Coordinates of all heavy atoms in Angstrom, one line a residue:
A1 N 11.4 -8.0 15.6 CA 10.9 -7.4 16.8 C 9.6 -7.7 17.4 O 9.4 -7.9 18.6 CB 11.0 -5.9 16.6
S2 N 8.6 -8.0 16.5 CA 7.3 -8.4 16.9 C 6.5 -9.1 15.7 O 5.6 -8.5 15.1 CB 6.5 -7.1 17.2 OG 5.1 -7.3 17.6
P3 N 6.8 -10.4 15.5 CA 6.2 -11.1 14.4 C 4.7 -11.2 14.4 O 4.2 -11.3 13.4 CB 7.0 -12.5 14.4 CG 7.5 -12.5 15.8 CD 7.8 -11.2 16.3
G4 N 4.2 -11.2 15.6 CA 2.7 -11.2 15.7 C 2.0 -10.2 15.1 O 0.9 -10.3 14.5
R5 N 2.6 -9.1 14.9 CA 2.0 -7.9 14.3 C 1.9 -8.0 12.8 O 1.2 -7.1 12.2 CB 2.7 -6.6 14.7 CG 2.7 -6.3 16.2 CD 3.6 -5.4 16.7 NE 3.4 -4.0 16.1 CZ 4.2 -3.0 16.3 NH1 5.3 -3.1 17.1 NH2 4.0 -1.8 15.8
L6 N 2.6 -8.9 12.1 CA 2.4 -9.1 10.8 C 1.2 -9.9 10.3 O 1.1 -9.9 9.1 CB 3.8 -9.8 10.2 CG 5.1 -8.8 10.2 CD1 6.3 -9.7 9.9 CD2 4.9 -7.7 9.2
R7 N 0.5 -10.5 11.3 CA -0.6 -11.2 10.9 C -1.6 -10.3 10.2 O -1.9 -9.3 10.6 CB -1.2 -11.9 12.1 CG -0.4 -13.0 12.7 CD -1.2 -13.8 13.8 NE -0.4 -14.6 14.5 CZ 0.1 -14.5 15.8 NH1 -0.2 -13.3 16.4 NH2 0.9 -15.3 16.3
I8 N -2.2 -10.9 9.1 CA -3.2 -10.2 8.3 C -4.3 -11.1 7.9 O -4.0 -12.2 7.5 CB -2.6 -9.3 7.2 CG1 -3.6 -8.5 6.4 CG2 -1.9 -10.3 6.2 CD1 -3.0 -7.6 5.3
S9 N -5.5 -10.7 7.9 CA -6.6 -11.5 7.4 C -7.0 -11.3 6.1 O -6.7 -10.2 5.5 CB -7.9 -11.3 8.4 OG -8.3 -10.1 8.2
W10 N -7.6 -12.2 5.4 CA -8.0 -12.1 4.0 C -9.0 -10.9 3.8 O -9.0 -10.2 2.8 CB -8.6 -13.4 3.4 CG -7.6 -14.3 3.1 CD1 -7.3 -15.5 3.9 CD2 -6.6 -14.3 2.0 NE1 -6.3 -16.3 3.3 CE2 -5.8 -15.5 2.2 CE3 -6.4 -13.5 1.1 CZ2 -4.9 -15.8 1.3 CZ3 -5.3 -13.8 0.2 CH2 -4.6 -14.9 0.3
R11 N -9.7 -10.6 4.9 CA -10.7 -9.6 4.8 C -10.1 -8.2 4.8 O -10.6 -7.2 4.1 CB -11.5 -9.7 6.1 CG -12.8 -8.6 6.1 CD -13.6 -8.8 7.3 NE -12.9 -8.7 8.6 CZ -13.4 -8.8 9.7 NH1 -14.7 -9.2 9.8 NH2 -12.7 -8.5 10.8
E12 N -8.7 -8.0 5.3 CA -8.1 -6.8 5.2 C -7.4 -6.5 3.9 O -7.0 -5.5 3.6 CB -7.0 -6.7 6.3 CG -7.6 -6.8 7.7 CD -6.4 -6.9 8.8 OE1 -6.0 -7.9 9.1 OE2 -6.1 -5.9 9.3
V13 N -7.2 -7.6 3.2 CA -6.4 -7.5 1.9 C -6.9 -6.5 0.9 O -6.0 -5.6 0.4 CB -6.2 -8.9 1.3 CG1 -5.5 -8.8 -0.1 CG2 -5.4 -9.8 2.2
P14 N -8.2 -6.4 0.5 CA -8.6 -5.4 -0.4 C -8.3 -4.0 0.0 O -7.8 -3.2 -0.7 CB -10.1 -5.8 -0.6 CG -10.4 -7.1 -0.1 CD -9.3 -7.4 1.0
F15 N -8.5 -3.7 1.3 CA -8.3 -2.4 1.8 C -6.8 -2.0 1.7 O -6.5 -1.0 1.3 CB -8.8 -2.3 3.3 CG -8.4 -0.9 3.9 CD1 -9.1 0.2 3.7 CD2 -7.3 -0.8 4.7 CE1 -8.7 1.4 4.3 CE2 -6.9 0.4 5.3 CZ -7.6 1.5 5.1
V16 N -5.9 -3.0 2.2 CA -4.6 -2.8 2.1 C -4.0 -2.6 0.7 O -3.2 -1.7 0.4 CB -3.8 -3.9 2.9 CG1 -2.3 -3.9 2.6 CG2 -4.1 -3.9 4.3
A17 N -4.6 -3.4 -0.1 CA -4.2 -3.3 -1.5 C -4.5 -1.8 -2.2 O -3.6 -1.2 -2.8 CB -5.0 -4.3 -2.4
V18 N -5.6 -1.3 -1.9 CA -6.0 0.0 -2.4 C -5.2 1.1 -1.7 O -4.7 2.0 -2.4 CB -7.5 0.3 -2.1 CG1 -7.8 1.7 -2.4 CG2 -8.4 -0.6 -2.9
F19 N -4.9 0.9 -0.3 CA -4.2 1.9 0.5 C -2.7 1.8 -0.1 O -2.2 2.9 -0.3 CB -4.3 1.4 1.9 CG -3.6 2.4 2.8 CD1 -3.8 3.7 2.8 CD2 -2.6 1.9 3.7 CE1 -3.3 4.6 3.7 CE2 -1.9 2.7 4.6 CZ -2.4 4.1 4.6
G20 N -2.2 0.8 -0.4 CA -0.9 0.6 -0.9 C -0.6 1.1 -2.3 O 0.4 1.8 -2.6
V21 N -1.6 0.8 -3.1 CA -1.4 1.1 -4.6 C -1.8 2.6 -4.7 O -0.9 3.3 -5.4 CB -2.4 0.3 -5.4 CG1 -2.4 0.8 -6.9 CG2 -2.0 -1.2 -5.5
V22 N -2.8 3.1 -4.2 CA -3.1 4.5 -4.4 C -2.2 5.4 -3.6 O -1.7 6.4 -4.0 CB -4.7 4.8 -4.2 CG1 -4.9 6.2 -4.4 CG2 -5.5 3.9 -5.1
G23 N -2.3 5.1 -2.2 CA -1.7 6.0 -1.4 C -0.2 6.0 -1.3 O 0.6 6.9 -0.9
V24 N 0.5 4.8 -1.6 CA 2.0 4.7 -1.7 C 2.6 4.5 -3.0 O 3.3 5.5 -3.5 CB 2.4 3.4 -0.8 CG1 3.9 3.3 -0.8 CG2 1.8 3.6 0.6
A25 N 2.2 3.6 -3.8 CA 2.8 3.3 -5.2 C 2.6 4.4 -6.1 O 3.5 5.0 -6.7 CB 2.2 2.1 -5.7
L26 N 1.2 5.0 -6.2 CA 1.0 6.0 -7.2 C 1.5 7.4 -6.7 O 2.0 8.2 -7.5 CB -0.5 6.1 -7.4 CG -0.9 4.9 -8.2 CD1 -2.5 5.1 -8.6 CD2 -0.2 4.6 -9.5
T27 N 1.5 7.6 -5.4 CA 1.9 8.9 -4.8 C 3.4 9.0 -5.1 O 3.8 10.1 -5.6 CB 1.6 9.0 -3.3 OG1 0.3 8.8 -3.0 CG2 2.2 10.3 -2.7
Q28 N 4.2 8.1 -5.0 CA 5.6 8.2 -5.1 C 6.0 8.3 -6.6 O 6.8 9.0 -7.0 CB 6.3 6.9 -4.3 CG 6.1 7.0 -3.0 CD 7.0 5.8 -2.3 OE1 8.1 5.5 -2.7 NE2 6.5 5.2 -1.2
F29 N 5.3 7.5 -7.4 CA 5.5 7.5 -8.8 C 5.2 8.9 -9.4 O 6.0 9.5 -10.2 CB 4.6 6.4 -9.5 CG 4.6 6.6 -11.0 CD1 5.7 6.4 -11.8 CD2 3.4 7.0 -11.7 CE1 5.7 6.6 -13.2 CE2 3.3 7.2 -13.0 CZ 4.4 7.0 -13.7
L30 N 4.1 9.4 -9.1 CA 3.8 10.7 -9.5 C 4.6 11.9 -9.1 O 5.0 12.8 -9.8 CB 2.2 11.1 -9.2 CG 1.2 10.2 -9.9 CD1 -0.1 10.3 -9.2 CD2 1.1 10.7 -11.4
Y31 N 5.2 11.7 -7.9 CA 6.1 12.6 -7.3 C 7.4 12.5 -8.1 O 8.0 13.6 -8.5 CB 6.4 12.4 -5.8 CG 7.6 13.1 -5.3 CD1 7.4 14.5 -5.1 CD2 8.7 12.5 -4.9 CE1 8.5 15.3 -4.5 CE2 9.8 13.2 -4.3 CZ 9.6 14.5 -4.1 OH 10.7 15.3 -3.7
Y32 N 7.8 11.3 -8.5 CA 9.0 11.3 -9.3 C 8.8 11.9 -10.6 O 9.7 12.5 -11.2 CB 9.5 9.8 -9.4 CG 10.1 9.3 -8.1 CD1 10.0 8.0 -7.7 CD2 10.9 10.2 -7.3 CE1 10.6 7.5 -6.6 CE2 11.5 9.6 -6.1 CZ 11.3 8.4 -5.8 OH 12.0 8.0 -4.6
V33 N 7.7 11.7 -11.2 CA 7.4 12.3 -12.5 C 7.4 13.8 -12.4 O 8.1 14.5 -13.2 CB 6.0 11.9 -13.0 CG1 5.6 12.6 -14.3 CG2 6.0 10.3 -13.3
A34 N 6.9 14.3 -11.3 CA 6.9 15.7 -11.1 C 8.3 16.3 -10.9 O 8.6 17.4 -11.6 CB 6.0 16.1 -9.9
I35 N 9.2 15.6 -10.0 CA 10.4 16.3 -9.9 C 11.4 16.0 -11.1 O 12.4 16.7 -11.2 CB 11.2 15.6 -8.7 CG1 11.5 14.1 -8.7 CG2 10.3 16.0 -7.3 CD1 12.3 13.6 -7.6
G36 N 11.0 15.1 -12.0 CA 11.8 15.0 -13.2 C 11.5 16.1 -14.2 O 12.2 16.3 -15.1

C-alpha cells in the first residue's frame, strides 16, 4: 500500500528496538504467563 513509509534510519533503530522489546515482546509474553 505505501512502501515509502517503511523507510527507517539507523538513528531510529535503538528507539524502535527498545519500544518493540519492552512495549511489545515483553508485554505480550508476560500477559501469556499471567493468563496461564
